[in-house]
Amino acid sequence: MYPLVLLPGMNCTEDLWLGAGLDDAIHPVLSKESVDAQVDALLEQLPEVFVVAGISLGAIVGMALALSAPQRIAGICLVSTNANAPTPMQYDGWNDWIRRLDAGEDAGELQQSILSGLLSPRSISDRPDLVERALRMGRETGAARLRAQLRMQGSRVDLLGRLSSLRAPALVVSGRDDEICRPGFHTEIASAIPRARLVSYDAGHLLPMERPHEFGHLLKSWQAQQRA
């Protein structure tokens, strides 16, 4: 079976995948200041051929990887993401976070400010353990890495119009309660990729944290199908 590479979202760590049974996966860190630089760094360090799964910013990097080096990608799983070019509101938000970091706020405080977008209302109300894990990921990411990821966000371009060229199998997974990357974004992505499967769960943006067992079983089953 091809090795599995898991790419985290912005201000997140490999704790995203805890409990999903993906313990053999490779966990690169996203620390470059542009998507292109991150793709180049990953291609230098990753196996010759692999399956890549990414969430949010990690999925954007995953799409860019697959477009840049399709011969290296045996399959791609895209979770809680958006293939469109950033909007002016997104640019403003990322620049505001950089200013707040420069003013002394830490990555955990910034994570707290968007908690309602990261987890479903049900999890925020009933799962204090998930709330603490989401905030801890921000604290562990730290200001320097988050600042680089914010600049990486600012380097994004439209990928949706290029996805029709992908020939690797794709698994597209969305959360029905995701307020950051709504289900419609995933329908667009799955419609654009020729060999895509679309799956949705009752979850928020950090879907693997809220539905680890279901997501892990889905990903492992799908990964096993991408054999040499």
Side-chain angles (χ1 to χ4, degrees):
M1 192 158 60
Y2 291 111
L4 175 64
V5 175
L6 296 176
L7 301 179
M10 186 178 76
N11 216 19
C12 295
T13 69
E14 62 185 72
D15 187 31
L16 270 171
W17 320 99
L18 185 66
L22 305 172
D23 300 332
D24 294 334
I26 300 167
H27 294 274
V29 172
L30 303 185
S31 59
K32 303 302 180 182
E33 294 194 355
S34 74
V35 172
D36 287 346
Q38 187 65 67
V39 166
D40 289 344
L42 289 171
L43 290 175
E44 288 184 4
Q45 73 183 83
L46 293 177
E48 189 61 29
V49 181
F50 54 91
V51 171
V52 61
I55 180 171
S56 198
L57 178 60
I60 291 162
V61 173
M63 285 184 274
L65 264 174
L67 290 166
S68 177
Q71 74 282 4
R72 303 277 301 272
I73 307 298
I76 181 169
C77 175
L78 305 169
V79 186
S80 304
T81 195
N82 175 9
N84 295 288
T87 65
M89 184 177 296
Q90 286 177 300
Y91 284 122
D92 289 345
W94 298 326
N95 288 331
D96 179 60
W97 271 32
I98 290 173
R99 287 192 293 269
R100 290 167 67 179
L101 286 172
D102 292 342
E105 286 193 60
D106 66 42
E109 291 173 318
L110 292 173
Q111 192 89 311
Q112 173 78 61
S113 72
I114 61 165
L115 185 63
S116 63
L118 296 176
L119 296 171
S120 67
R122 179 180 58 257
S123 288
I124 292 174
S125 172
D126 301 339
R127 295 291 307 275
D129 58 316
L130 291 187
V131 171
E132 172 52 30
R133 282 174 58 195
L135 298 179
R136 186 172 65 241
M137 286 196 300
R139 295 194 296 268
E140 291 177 350
T141 296
R145 188 183 303 165
L146 176 56
R147 187 180 286 104
Q149 291 174 353
L150 288 162
R151 293 193 172 114
M152 191 191 309
Q153 293 274 29
S155 76
R156 285 167 46 187
V157 297
D158 176 75
L159 296 175
L160 188 64
R162 301 173 56 197
L163 296 181
S164 61
S165 68
L166 294 183
R167 292 297 175 264
L171 178 64
V172 183
V173 188
S174 71
R176 298 186 186 100
D177 299 319
D178 190 345
E179 296 183 357
I180 295 176
C181 295
R182 297 187 179 277
F185 294 155
H186 303 82
T187 303
E188 290 179 337
I189 292 169
S191 297
I193 300 174
R195 300 170 62 192
R197 175 186 175 192
L198 177 63
V199 179
S200 295
Y201 289 107
D202 289 327
H205 189 65
L206 300 182
L207 183 150
M209 290 181 66
E210 294 195 46
R211 303 295 293 270
H213 303 297
E214 296 94 329
F215 174 77
H217 177 73
L218 171 71
L219 181 55
K220 287 188 292 185
S221 299
W222 176 82
Q223 179 196 6
Q225 299 171 17
Q226 319 315 323
R227 298 182 185 275

